[in-house]
């Protein structure tokens, strides 16, 4: 019988610690698939950020450096400057990349660092218990926006894929989602492309992945996926905002 | 004939770093240390290295963290307010057991302060500086030659103990020019291999992870004890100081860095007057030469500590001297152009010799 589905070799055979319905596992799988299909696992170095995704090294079977909160693009810059022939990626949440680490991602992109950045946007701070994120939607209730995000007080959700697309050093900036099988397949293609572009050394490749946080949203996983479609995608449109290799 | 160069202290740091094999520098301009990034931006590309002017001090220390995690010799430099910003990354490097050299050419503060020389960052440098209870190696050059030599040493010590190392100097040492005799560097033969560095697995069975997060039962405590055992090794093996005329002295003068230069002149003047004054100059501020103070104060019961601040190193001196020794302090918090003169120090020496 033909085997049609297996664990990617870039992923370890371990149990997940993520909450039920969390999509980090799905995104990890897509990143591992990309490494496998490009055959780069043995020369890849991951940079773990702070938040739910810090345990990167527990799942990916690659060398990993852990960065302070928000600083993964700076740490990755140091790694890539030493290992110019290696594949270096960061994996960051929305608090990490779009709040405390805005400076680091903007400038790494602007320098055109040859890095792949996986940006997981679930509109909340997951690990610290569901506080307001820079991507929290207007009127969304969180533990620090208990009456709902008021844009007059809290400002507006940041569309990072569009922001980074505006920078010269960004080679590829795409927003995908993992809320449906169709979107997961598309996300996989985009993540693979983001790693492939790094092997071509054209600049920073950035993939924003819309993702659910059922625990902190107070929803079951199906409802959470529905919310991604009904509330997140309208504000954070899916699509490619920049691809310097496109004809 | 040995080649002698007439260079700035800051340039000597940069030259020593390149000679010691540093190939990566990440920094951000701030007076009075900008000669260091300027020199390295010019010279590193020519030796196959990389210079990055980062967007901030925070980014530059984290670039250093990344490059050090790859096993490369790498450096950053800044001045007091910039070093405060770097403390986050320094704490992470300490927690991640990463080497790396950080240069602090101190200016006066607190806050924006001024660009004149100061020794008010002593506490920040030797007591941890960032969060979490750690130490870094701190070396305090008092000449352009030492800027060169101690930078090389900082790389070696940092690599040997997997502890970040700081060169702590100030604008007097950084900005002054004097003779430097450059010499070639040879890495100590017994430096441990960096078998922890990330390289991409490259066929290796085990993955390598550089991290400071330890969540398992008792893991973090064990990790912290391991770090503290290393600090104890540093205290036992890597203390450095200069001592002169300490035996038979009536008064022991202590000072480091720029203040030690002024103190040396004052001591010479005092000896010309027949006063018996010894000098004990700490070169490593962490590890602090506690044993040298204890030994010196077995006979000499009076110690006078000079600093360019309102009293910081004097606390470590008091903790180090013999039980019945008296420690006096004379210092001035930094202010524009108000360096103490040798005559000012001499007056203090006379006073305590007579008492």
């Amino acid at each position: 019988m033909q085997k049609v589905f297996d664990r990617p070799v870039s992923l370890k055979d371990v149990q997940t610690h993520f909450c039920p319905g969390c999509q980090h596992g799905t995104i990890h799988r897509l990143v591992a698939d990309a490494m496998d299909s490009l055959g780069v696992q043995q020369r890849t170095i991951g940079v773990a950020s702070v938040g739910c995704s810090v345990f990167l090294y527990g799942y990916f079977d690659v060398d990993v450096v852990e960065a302070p909160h928000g600083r993964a693009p700076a740490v990755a810059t140091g790694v890539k400057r030493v290992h110019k022939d290696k594949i270096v990626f960061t994996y960051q949440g929305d608090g990490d990349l779009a709040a405390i680490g805005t400076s680091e991602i903007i400038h790494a992109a602007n320098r055109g660092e040859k890095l792949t950045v996986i940006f997981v946007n679930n509109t909340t701070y997951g690990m610290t218990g569901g506080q307001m994120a820079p991507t929290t939607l207007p009127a969304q209730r969180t533990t620090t926006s208990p009456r709902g995000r008021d844009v007059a007080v809290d400002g507006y959700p940041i569309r990072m894929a569009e922001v980074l697309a505006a920078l010269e050093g960004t080679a590829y900036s795409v927003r995908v989602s993992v809320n449906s099988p169709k979107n997961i397949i598309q996300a996989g293609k985009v993540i693979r492309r983001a790693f492939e572009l790094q092997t071509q050394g054209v600049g920073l490749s950035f993939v924003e992945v819309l993702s659910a946080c059922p625990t902190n949203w107070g929803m079951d996983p199906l409802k959470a996926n529905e919310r991604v479609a009904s509330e997140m995608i309208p504000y954070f449109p899916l699509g490619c905002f920049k691809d310097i290799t496109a004809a | 004939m040995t080649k002698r160069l007439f260079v700035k202290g800051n340039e000597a740091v940069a030259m020593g770093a390149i000679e010691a094999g540093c190939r990566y520098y990440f920094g951000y301009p701030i007076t009075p240390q900008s000669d260091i990034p300027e020199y390295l931006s010019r010279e590193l590309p020519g030796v196959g290295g990389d210079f990055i002017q980062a967007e901030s001090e925070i980014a530059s220390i984290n670039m250093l963290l990344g490059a050090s995690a790859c096993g490369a010799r790498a450096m950053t430099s800044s001045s007091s307010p910039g070093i405060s910003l770097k403390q986050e990354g320094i704490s992470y490097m300490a927690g991640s057991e990463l080497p790396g050299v950080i240069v602090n050419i101190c200016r006066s503060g607190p806050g924006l302060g001024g660009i004149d020389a100061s020794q008010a960052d002593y506490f920040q440098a030797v007591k941890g500086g960032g969060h979490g209870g750690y130490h870094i190696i701190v070396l305090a050059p008092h000449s352009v030659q030492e800027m060169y030599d101690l930078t090389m040493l900082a790389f070696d010590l940092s690599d040997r103990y997997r502890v970040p190392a700081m060169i702590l100097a100030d604008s007097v040492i950084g900005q002054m020019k004097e003779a430097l005799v450059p010499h070639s560097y040879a890495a100590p033969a017994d430096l441990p291999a960096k078998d922890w560095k990330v390289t991409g697995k490259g066929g290796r069975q085990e993955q390598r992870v550089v991290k400071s997060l330890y969540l398992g039962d008792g893991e973090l405590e064990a990790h912290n004890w391991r770090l503290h055992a290393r600090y104890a090794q540093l205290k036992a093996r890597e203390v450095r100081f200069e001592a002169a005329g300490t035996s038979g002295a009536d008064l022991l003068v202590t000072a480091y860095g720029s203040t030690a230069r002024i103190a040396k002149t004052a001591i010479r003047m005092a000896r010309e007057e027949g006063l018996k004054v010894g000098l004990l100059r700490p070169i490593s501020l962490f590890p602090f030469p506690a044993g040298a103070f204890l030994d010196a104060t077995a006979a000499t019961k009076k110690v006078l500590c000079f600093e360019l601040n309102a009293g910081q190193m004097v606390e470590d001196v008091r903790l180090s001297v013999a039980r019945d020794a008296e420690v006096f302090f004379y210092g001035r918090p930094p202010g524009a152009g108000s360096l103490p003169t040798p005559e000012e120090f001499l007056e203090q020496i006379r006073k305590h010799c007579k008492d």
Side-chain angles (χ1 to χ4, degrees), chain B residues 138-219:
Chain B
V138 182
L139 304 176
H142 87 320
S143 65
V144 169
Q145 185 69 48
E146 280 190 348
M147 290 287 255
Y148 184 82
D149 295 341
L150 294 182
T151 299
M152 292 178 175
L153 177 66
F155 278 104
D156 289 345
L157 292 179
S158 183
D159 277 352
R160 184 182 301 283
Y161 293 93
R162 295 177 62 184
V163 171
M166 178 179 281
I167 298 294
L168 187 75
D170 59 37
S171 51
V172 169
I173 309 295
Q175 291 293 324
M176 75 182 181
K177 274 188 160 185
E178 63 182 3
L180 167 71
V181 181
H183 50 82
S184 59
Y185 166 85
D190 61 343
L191 274 188
K194 294 182 174 179
D195 55 5
W196 43 265
K197 68 182 180 187
V198 299
T199 58
K201 287 183 70 183
R204 188 186 342 109
Q205 204 62 29
E206 293 302 311
Q207 73 174 158
R208 287 181 186 166
V209 177
V210 172
K211 62 167 185 162
S212 60
L213 181 68
Y214 293 90
L215 288 183
D217 270 355
E219 275 185 26

Side-chain angles (χ1 to χ4, degrees), chain A residues 12 42 55 57 60-64 66 68 71 74-75 77-79 81 83-84 86 103-104 107 111, chain B residues 24 50 52 55 58 62-63 66 70 88 92 198-204 207-213 215:
Chain A
K12 296 184 190 177
Q42 294 294 319
F55 300 106
Y57 43 81
F60 289 104
D61 190 15
V62 298
D63 283 3
V64 173
E66 186 186 87
R71 320 299 177 213
V75 171
T77 296
V79 172
R81 293 298 177 120
H83 290 307
K84 294 181 174 68
K86 303 285 169 28
S103 172
E104 283 76 11
H107 288 278
R111 283 191 305 269
Chain B
Y24 301 92
D50 260 19
I52 298 184
E55 64 271 27
I58 297 171
N62 284 293
M63 291 174 187
C70 298
E88 174 195 76
Y92 274 78
V198 299
T199 58
K201 287 183 70 183
R204 188 186 342 109
Q207 73 174 158
R208 287 181 186 166
V209 177
V210 172
K211 62 167 185 162
S212 60
L213 181 68
L215 288 183

Side-chain angles (χ1 to χ4, degrees), chain A residues 174-178 183 186-187 190-191 207-211 238-239:
Chain A
V174 186
R175 183 180 293 115
V176 295
S177 176
V178 288
N183 282 344
Q186 174 62 15
V190 166
I191 289 170
V207 183
E208 176 171 343
V209 186
L210 301 185
S211 163
L238 306 185

